[in-house]
């Protein structure tokens, strides 16, 4: 567990919490329209899909305060698969702390974002991610233009 001094604790997410994590995902996605497209799946579909995603992940991290999950991140091998904060919890540094955990864990990361999600794009660019590809949306089920970012740890003195 990683305390943050503001009552928010970062810790590994548990499979038993997948419904709570799914609720954060759904609420965040809904609150982010129109910067990102609406979900194509209903709440039950998301609750059924998320445990499979968590089992396949390198790690799942959650941010918790006063017993409530307020954000989560799912990491793959070399990738941030999902990073979402509940409505009202963005802009508080929680996402930055989660990204810092991912960057400390792996020497290189990639992620996808929707091109129109300017807030997320600014956030990732502030954390050293650079655009390496833009597509017409052929890589996502929403068929919405997206962008692939990469981050690499700085090489130390050689």
């Amino acid at each position: 567990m990683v305390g943050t001094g503001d009552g928010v604790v970062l810790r590994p997410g548990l499979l038993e919490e997948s419904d709570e994590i799914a609720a954060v995902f759904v609420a965040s996605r809904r609150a982010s329209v129109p910067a990102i497209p609406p979900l194509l799946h209903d709440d039950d579909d998301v609750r059924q899909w998320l445990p499979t995603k968590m089992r396949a992940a390198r790690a799942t991290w959650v941010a918790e305060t006063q017993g409530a999950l307020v954000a989560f991140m799912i990491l793959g091998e070399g990738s941030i698969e999902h990073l979402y904060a509940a409505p009202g919890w963005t802009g508080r540094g929680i996402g930055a702390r989660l990204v810092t955990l991912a960057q400390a864990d792996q020497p290189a990361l990639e992620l996808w974002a929707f091109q129109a999600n300017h807030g997320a794009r600014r956030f990732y660019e502030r954390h050293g991610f650079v655009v390496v590809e833009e597509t017409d949306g052929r890589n996502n089920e929403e068929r919405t233009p997206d962008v692939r970012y990469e981050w690499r740890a700085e090489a130390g003195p050689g």
Side-chain angles (χ1 to χ4, degrees):
M1 285 199 293
V2 180
T4 60
D6 59 359
V8 176
V9 174
L10 306 182
R11 61 169 177 76
L14 305 173
L15 194 56
E16 305 82 60
E17 297 172 309
S18 66
D19 283 355
E20 292 172 82
I21 296 168
V24 170
F25 176 79
V26 168
S28 178
R29 286 289 306 257
R30 286 187 178 142
S32 297
V33 173
I36 63 175
L39 275 170
L40 298 177
H41 303 278
D42 66 23
D43 295 12
D44 287 336
D45 286 345
V46 173
R47 279 192 298 276
Q48 290 174 18
W49 159 81
L50 196 63
T52 302
K53 189 69 176 173
M54 290 174 69
R55 282 187 197 96
R58 175 182 175 97
T60 299
W61 284 89
V62 297
E64 178 182 47
T65 184
Q66 299 178 354
L69 296 185
V70 296
F72 75 95
M73 175 178 66
I74 296 178
L75 293 175
E77 289 298 329
S79 63
I80 296 177
E81 300 289 327
H82 298 281
L83 175 59
Y84 289 93
W89 287 93
T90 59
R92 296 183 186 208
I94 297 168
R97 294 174 196 146
L98 289 167
V99 167
T100 298
L101 283 173
Q103 290 172 325
D105 180 55
Q106 300 185 64
L109 294 165
E110 74 170 17
L111 61 86
W112 288 90
F114 293 108
Q115 287 184 26
N117 192 350
H118 299 293
R121 294 185 69 176
R122 284 189 304 272
F123 169 82
Y124 290 121
E125 290 167 10
R126 277 195 313 271
H127 292 282
F129 287 82
V130 295
V131 174
V132 294
E133 178 182 13
E134 291 186 347
T135 81
D136 59 4
R138 65 183 173 271
N139 297 311
N140 61 67
E141 67 181 354
E142 294 88 354
R143 299 292 180 231
T144 300
D146 56 11
V147 56
R148 183 168 62 94
Y149 281 92
E150 287 184 354
W151 169 86
R152 298 200 183 287
E154 293 294 323

